Amino acid sequence: MDTPVLHPSTAEPASQPSHAAQAKPRRAPRKTAPPAPALHASAPQTAAARKAAHNAASASFAALTSKLNYLDKSDIEQVRKAYRFADEAHLGQLRASGEPYITHPIAVAAQCAEWKLDAQAIMAALMHDAMEDCGISKPDLIEKFGAPVAELVDGLTKLEKLEFTTREENQAESFRKMLLAMARDVRVILIKLADRSHNMRTMGDMPRPKWSRISRETLDIYAPIAHRLGLNQTYRELQELSFRYLLPWRYATLSKAVAKARSRRRDLIQKVERDVQATFEQAGMYINLSGREKTLYSIYRKMDEKHLSFAQVTDMYGFRLVVPTVTDCYTAMGILHQMYKPVPGKFKDHIAIGKLNGYQSLHTTVVGPSGVNVEFQMRTEAMHVVAESGVAAHWLYKANAPGGAEAERLGTQWLQSLLDIQHETRDAAEFWDHVKVDLFPDAVYVFTPKSKIMAMPRGATVVDFAYAVHTDIGDHTVAAKVNDQQVPLRTEVQNGDVIEVITAPTSSPNPAWLGFVRTARARSKIRHHLKTMALDESQALGDKLLTQALRSEGIERVPTEDAAHQALWDKLLRFSGNKTRGELLVDIGLGKRIASIVAKRLVSLLGELGEKPDALLMSKERFTAHESISQGAIVLDGSESATVQYAPCCRPLPGDGIVGYLGRGEGVMVHTNQCAVGKKLLQKDSERFITVEWADELVRAFVAAVVVTVQSGKGVLARVAAAMASAEADIMQVDLGRDSEVGAPTADLRFVVAVRDTAHLDTVLRTLARTPTVLRAQRAVST
């Protein structure tokens, strides 16, 4: 089973995934053993082949059972039962290598056994393809093995049987399913990573055209997930194997270069190892010293990102010191710095400030013999377990590794955030966009005003920081200070910054924030708030419009949804096709339903209950209503957001006569009553117009378009801008005109300015008209 590739830059189109890297294409014929008649016709050679295949599978399972000694006998028997079930389900299926297919699930289960996962996870690993490829249903698995195992297998199964509009939609939905199953139970992703690791190890048996797609998918999705969960050993292996099959020529070239460098520097590395061992023995300090070499992929990425030649990569070699205590880590660093000169700026303390995935170590780079840079890492045994196994450390060393619990907490924290994002994001593609942002390798560390350390992804802004502290802080952010200096909200945070967020109770998220926030949490919270706010405002507007329409029919107010009117609302909702009263009001507010039509139906239903219209109210409302307007009035003060928009064609200002057009699903669009576009709409859809009027007290400025005709010359724009400033108008946008001829005596300058009302705009225009070099200044209107 394979999760779809979602990398936008992959040149090769993403075909429907096969069983990860290995065999079992879903839409291509699978290699299977011959049907029964052929077996009988084939003589001893076929029988021998079947026997060899059976022996290979038996040998594989025997190797697996030898790794299950940490389970009790009853659990091992359950695993054996799952093996027999999987073996029967995959009977006759072969891998691309020609091996029985069951050898793959056994290899996946063996990897899970290396992590000491429980019996349920081992059973799910053995059956992880049974539902997807063998026609086994989830109820079958529940009946035979229980709900927990069935849920694990289901979480590893793609959504192949549903109909999707595009392949990308299928991919996004399948990926979301796996991630959410992973968020509920981290064993899902551990089994999936074991599955992908084995498939990448045997990629060489696959047709070469599939190498690129599967390797790119592994590099872009599965390796970052492994890193995010602290599975660094798996992370490095997936990166290395992906590099090998994605760029085979570069891998081979770099591999040869590293082998030559290794042989040249073998003596040097051995000397460093001997010297370090001797020095620590002399100091009476116990260490477990092991050498390490940069992976080929990390060398390649460094060369690519920093535009270096292979000869310029100087820190290919390193050593790891595992010591008894945290204090010993710092002591060891001091001893090393006495032996070799440290490289400035190459010291990192990931013990005091651990990485987001739980990783902790001291890193330092020193200048070794012959001027070769050598990196040293110092950590305790518990840190080493977490560094290599991440969340798997919970199972791997649950008896004696305190670090395992911390790694699981940090991993679970990220997984829980996936559920939060899912709760606020129902669209699969949008969910994937949120999640991939969080699969980052780097982080910066910043401080709250109370000196609490927080890790943020590189490139995060102060708005991301605000949402990381608390959703309410983010939602009400109005300004921020970084190191006591006022900064714009789009400012990126840097290591060591002290960030103070300034909030206001009346503030709310700005849609423009989506253009610069970096984290999935901030992005999903902003979108969720904007959607919720739009629905709330639409419902309030719909309630107001329906009330006005009912008053015109002689009914004072919208009936409540109490026991006496429940049957009435049920009939009305069946008539409108809505599920709830709130949904109906939202549709009215968005213009999807006409308030007057709903009101007439409501009056009819009230009549059946014996509630008659008030003739006096009806006469009063109809006498005072404007003859061309069919619904009630709305007062505008500038505080409206998504439900009320001001038409860009005429840009209405307080003081203008205005009308409101209730667009289909768009809320209210406000036009001036002289707007040509508004007049056309009035002739076409008069029943969709409502009365709108300006409030006495306005809460903000409004924008207007102004055309200023000037004599061409130096400093003209500056003089026009100064005149506007003197009239207290804010310039929002300037268009100098692309069609202006060089040397022309006059030019039209188009401005969008913020003013209080029409009287203020008139003042601005008079001020411009008195300015030297200005020939004419007028408001731009639609025609």
Side-chain angles (χ1 to χ4, degrees):
M1 176 194 53
D2 202 289
T3 302
V5 59
L6 298 171
H7 195 275
S9 62
T10 305
E12 181 186 345
S15 59
Q16 188 59 41
S18 64
H19 176 87
Q22 193 68 34
K24 301 184 20 177
R26 297 283 297 163
R27 304 183 194 272
R30 177 189 291 159
K31 292 176 65 178
T32 62
L39 287 172
H40 292 300
S42 274
Q45 193 172 12
T46 305
R50 288 188 66 194
K51 186 175 180 181
H54 177 72
N55 289 341
S58 299
S60 296
F61 186 69
L64 170 62
T65 53
S66 68
K67 297 180 180 179
L68 300 178
N69 52 14
Y70 63 94
L71 298 176
D72 58 38
K73 289 183 179 179
S74 61
D75 285 341
I76 293 176
E77 188 54 42
Q78 285 295 312
V79 171
R80 195 180 303 278
K81 181 181 173 183
Y83 162 70
R84 287 195 290 265
F85 182 84
D87 190 26
E88 183 179 340
H90 292 295
L91 187 64
Q93 298 173 4
L94 303 178
R95 303 204 83 205
S97 61
E99 296 176 308
Y101 192 80
I102 188 62
T103 57
H104 168 65
I106 291 173
V108 174
Q111 176 62 66
C112 293
E114 293 283 351
W115 287 329
K116 301 291 191 291
L117 298 192
D118 58 19
Q120 291 177 348
I122 304 295
M123 293 161 67
L126 286 167
M127 300 183 291
H128 73 269
D129 282 328
M131 284 175 64
E132 184 176 326
D133 296 317
C134 304
I136 307 298
S137 67
K138 187 176 178 181
D140 291 339
L141 291 178
I142 293 175
E143 182 182 346
K144 288 182 171 64
F145 302 102
V149 174
E151 289 293 342
L152 287 173
V153 176
D154 184 53
L156 292 156
T157 304
K158 294 191 300 296
L159 301 171
E160 295 275 336
K161 296 180 181 178
L162 299 181
E163 291 296 326
F164 293 98
T165 309
T166 63
R167 175 177 288 135
E168 288 74 18
E169 185 182 346
N170 185 345
Q171 292 170 338
E173 195 64 58
S174 295
F175 186 71
R176 174 167 70 165
K177 179 188 175 187
M178 185 196 73
L179 273 181
L180 294 177
M182 167 181 102
R184 288 188 290 269
D185 192 334
V186 74
R187 293 175 297 179
V188 169
I189 197 60
L190 294 175
I191 298 168
K192 184 62 190 175
L193 289 171
D195 174 31
R196 181 50 62 107
S197 296
H198 182 251
N199 283 315
M200 290 302 297
R201 289 170 197 152
T202 55
M203 176 75 86
D205 295 323
M206 287 294 291
R208 192 167 185 127
K210 293 189 176 182
W211 287 9
S212 177
R213 176 181 62 79
I214 296 170
S215 298
R216 172 57 66 188
E217 175 180 299
T218 303
L219 199 58
D220 292 341
I221 296 176
Y222 293 102
I225 288 175
H227 185 250
R228 194 65 175 77
L229 295 176
L231 298 157
N232 288 316
Q233 191 171 351
T234 303
Y235 166 65
R236 290 192 296 268
E237 182 184 14
L238 290 177
Q239 279 190 331
E240 201 76 346
L241 291 168
S242 298
F243 178 40
R244 177 179 177 180
Y245 291 107
L246 185 64
L247 300 167
W249 182 85
R250 294 181 190 182
Y251 179 90
T253 303
L254 199 55
S255 182
K256 289 177 184 176
V258 169
K260 288 181 181 178
R262 189 185 299 126
S263 62
R264 286 198 307 268
R265 295 180 177 175
R266 184 179 292 114
D267 292 342
L268 181 146
I269 298 302
Q270 289 175 348
K271 174 176 169 48
V272 171
E273 187 171 4
R274 286 195 304 270
D275 291 349
V276 170
Q277 285 280 18
T279 302
F280 277 87
E281 285 177 8
Q282 188 176 355
M285 185 173 175
Y286 168 78
I287 62 168
N288 183 354
L289 182 67
S290 57
R292 49 181 294 278
E293 183 177 277
K294 268 187 180 290
T295 63
L296 294 181
Y297 180 71
S298 62
I299 294 171
Y300 169 74
R301 193 168 65 175
K302 185 168 186 176
M303 291 169 61
D304 184 52
E305 290 176 354
K306 299 189 176 181
H307 307 289
L308 303 175
S309 67
F310 178 74
Q312 292 172 304
V313 180
T314 58
D315 57 348
M316 286 192 299
Y317 305 101
F319 291 91
R320 181 177 298 125
L321 282 72
V322 178
V323 297
T325 68
V326 173
T327 304
D328 290 338
C329 293
Y330 293 93
T331 304
M333 184 189 65
I335 293 172
L336 288 171
H337 285 183
Q338 290 174 6
M339 292 178 63
Y340 305 110
K341 184 177 293 185
V343 177
K346 289 289 188 176
F347 167 67
K348 294 179 182 177
D349 190 343
H350 293 302
I351 293 179
I353 306 175
K355 289 189 176 182
L356 293 171
N357 58 14
Y359 176 90
Q360 288 183 294
S361 279
L362 279 184
H363 290 201
T364 186
T365 301
V366 299
V367 181
S370 305
V372 175
N373 285 2
V374 181
E375 184 188 49
F376 284 89
Q377 298 175 354
M378 284 68 70
R379 61 178 68 148
T380 65
E381 182 63 37
M383 293 174 191
H384 183 60
V385 170
V386 174
E388 295 302 306
S389 305
V391 293
H394 172 68
W395 290 276
L396 191 56
Y397 293 93
K398 55 168 81 164
N400 55 9
E406 176 65 9
E408 187 197 17
R409 184 188 68 78
L410 290 163
T412 305
Q413 197 174 46
W414 178 63
L415 296 174
Q416 181 59 42
S417 75
L418 297 182
L419 293 178
D420 295 340
I421 294 169
Q422 157 65 10
H423 178 68
E424 295 160 2
T425 308
R426 296 299 174 187
D427 179 71
E430 185 178 317
F431 174 79
W432 164 241
D433 285 340
H434 289 327
V435 171
K436 67 183 179 183
V437 168
D438 264 1
L439 295 178
F440 51 84
D442 298 321
V444 295
Y445 299 91
V446 297
F447 297 87
T448 68
K450 294 183 179 180
S451 299
K452 179 184 176 183
I453 297 175
M454 298 190 66
M456 302 295 297
R458 196 168 298 281
T461 65
V462 291
V463 175
D464 292 297
F465 172 82
Y467 277 101
V469 174
H470 197 280
T471 301
D472 287 342
I473 300 292
D475 284 346
H476 297 100
T477 296
V478 291
K481 290 182 178 180
V482 174
N483 304 324
D484 287 329
Q485 298 292 318
Q486 191 96 18
V487 297
L489 293 180
R490 63 173 58 245
T491 301
E492 292 186 4
V493 299
Q494 305 295 330
N495 268 322
D497 282 347
V498 178
I499 305 170
E500 179 185 355
V501 177
I502 301 167
T503 62
T506 57
S507 178
S508 62
N510 188 327
W513 292 356
L514 292 171
F516 57 77
V517 291
R518 177 76 172 82
T519 60
R521 176 181 173 83
R523 189 174 297 277
S524 65
K525 293 292 184 185
I526 293 167
R527 283 182 173 167
H528 178 65
H529 189 282
L530 293 175
K531 288 176 184 176
T532 304
M533 184 172 64
L535 288 175
D536 290 345
E537 291 183 355
S538 296
Q539 184 170 335
L541 176 59
D543 185 63
K544 191 169 188 176
L545 293 174
L546 185 57
T547 299
Q548 293 285 358
L550 281 173
R551 288 177 64 84
S552 297
E553 299 294 332
I555 301 297
E556 179 69 28
R557 63 179 62 85
V558 179
T560 56
E561 207 170 2
D562 53 20
H565 294 97
Q566 188 60 52
L568 175 148
W569 278 106
D570 290 343
K571 291 180 181 178
L572 183 64
L573 292 175
R574 280 197 296 273
F575 164 76
S576 67
N578 296 102
K579 294 179 181 177
T580 64
R581 177 178 184 268
E583 187 180 296
L584 173 61
L585 294 176
V586 167
D587 280 357
I588 294 172
L590 291 174
K592 294 180 180 179
R593 307 214 174 273
I594 303 298
S596 57
I597 296 174
V598 176
K600 290 181 188 298
R601 180 65 178 173
L602 197 50
V603 170
S604 172
L605 293 171
L606 285 169
E608 295 176 8
L609 296 177
E611 298 184 31
K612 302 297 182 183
D614 184 334
L616 181 61
L617 177 63
M618 186 189 307
S619 300
K620 177 184 174 184
E621 290 293 323
R622 291 185 176 179
F623 179 76
T624 56
H626 191 280
E627 60 183 6
S628 66
I629 303 298
S630 64
Q631 299 186 24
I634 293 177
V635 178
L636 306 177
D637 64 358
S639 63
E640 312 79 25
S641 57
T643 54
V644 178
Q645 302 177 55
Y646 295 88
C649 50
C650 53
R651 300 185 187 276
L653 295 174
D656 286 327
I658 50 175
V659 292
Y661 174 70
L662 201 56
R664 290 174 175 82
E666 301 166 356
V668 178
M669 183 67 72
V670 181
H671 293 265
T672 64
N673 54 18
Q674 300 301 316
C675 175
V677 175
K679 288 180 178 179
K680 290 177 184 177
L681 290 172
L682 185 60
Q683 293 173 358
K684 181 181 175 183
D685 276 335
S686 61
E687 76 281 356
R688 287 190 166 273
F689 274 78
I690 60 174
T691 302
V692 289
E693 57 189 38
W694 298 109
D696 293 333
E697 298 291 333
L698 303 169
V699 299
R700 67 172 177 87
F702 294 79
V703 296
V706 174
V707 180
V708 183
T709 304
V710 296
Q711 293 177 342
S712 298
K714 294 180 179 179
V716 170
L717 180 59
R719 285 194 287 274
V720 170
M724 288 188 176
S726 69
E728 299 182 354
D730 290 334
I731 299 174
M732 311 298 291
Q733 183 180 331
V734 183
D735 182 2
L736 302 180
R738 298 178 182 176
D739 301 329
S740 302
E741 296 181 8
V742 177
T746 63
D748 285 341
L749 307 180
R750 291 174 172 80
F751 295 87
V752 175
V753 296
V755 293
R756 293 186 294 276
D757 49 30
T758 52
H760 185 196
L761 179 61
D762 289 341
T763 301
V764 173
L765 294 176
R766 285 195 297 270
T767 303
L768 287 169
R770 291 195 296 268
T771 304
T773 72
V774 173
L775 303 176
R776 185 172 59 254
Q778 59 188 0
R779 182 179 179 182
V781 294
S782 63
T783 55

